Amino acid sequence: MTGIDAALAGGRTACLEHMAACEAAGLQWTEEPVTEILLSRTSPRVRFATFTRKQEAKVGADWLWWWVAPSGESFGMIVQAKRLYVDKAKWSFKFNHNSGEQRRAYSCDHHLTTLCRSSPATHWANRQPTTLQA
């Protein structure tokens, strides 16, 4: 397992432990603390740029991951944290809160236009490429 794989696996484990502890205590866990746990536990191996609430409303995402290979080839990913609801064999996400604004924000054209204007993405894109060691 590479350093990045191990960081992501450790972050996932920390999130699962937090969610299980909340459920065992009768608490309803929410996406924001789970996101904070994931990002804090994978850092500094996996770097990220988060969006403010105002930016998230425009972009439709919570954070940006930009993967850069030693060759300089890169892959960007905007991520929206969502709770997965499981009812027997049916899995679902809830996109319709805020009058369905998040669902409308998930159009590709909207993402590309907004992402190019948002400060975390612009800040990240204007930085010197960093080599991520696999």
Side-chain angles (χ1 to χ4, degrees):
M1 187 178 288
T2 69
I4 293 171
D5 291 344
L8 291 170
R12 179 180 184 272
T13 298
C15 290
L16 291 173
E17 289 171 354
H18 171 77
M19 293 181 288
C22 286
E23 289 177 2
L27 297 170
Q28 171 123 7
W29 57 268
T30 59
E31 297 154 0
E32 287 180 356
V34 175
T35 296
E36 291 170 349
I37 291 167
L38 176 65
L39 297 178
S40 67
R41 299 296 170 86
T42 58
S43 181
R45 195 70 182 129
V46 178
R47 296 185 333 180
F48 57 89
T50 58
F51 296 99
T52 65
R53 286 183 185 264
K54 186 176 179 180
Q55 292 165 330
E56 179 186 348
K58 290 181 182 177
V59 176
D62 293 306
W63 74 89
L64 167 73
W65 272 333
W66 199 261
W67 307 98
V68 182
S71 67
E73 187 176 22
S74 60
F75 172 75
M77 179 186 329
I78 56 174
V79 181
Q80 172 64 49
K82 282 290 167 212
R83 182 176 180 144
L84 176 65
Y85 292 87
V86 180
D87 182 20
K88 297 182 183 168
K90 183 179 177 187
W91 295 15
S92 63
F93 298 94
K94 293 185 179 177
F95 290 107
N96 289 325
H97 60 290
N98 298 332
S99 303
E101 187 62 32
Q102 258 189 343
R103 182 180 292 276
R104 285 188 294 282
Y106 282 110
S107 77
C108 188
D109 289 341
H110 174 81
H111 277 309
L112 294 175
T113 301
T114 307
L115 185 60
C116 291
R117 293 184 188 140
S118 54
S119 60
T122 302
H123 170 74
W124 192 278
N126 290 332
R127 295 171 72 179
Q128 282 290 87
T130 300
T131 301
L132 297 178
Q133 302 290 324

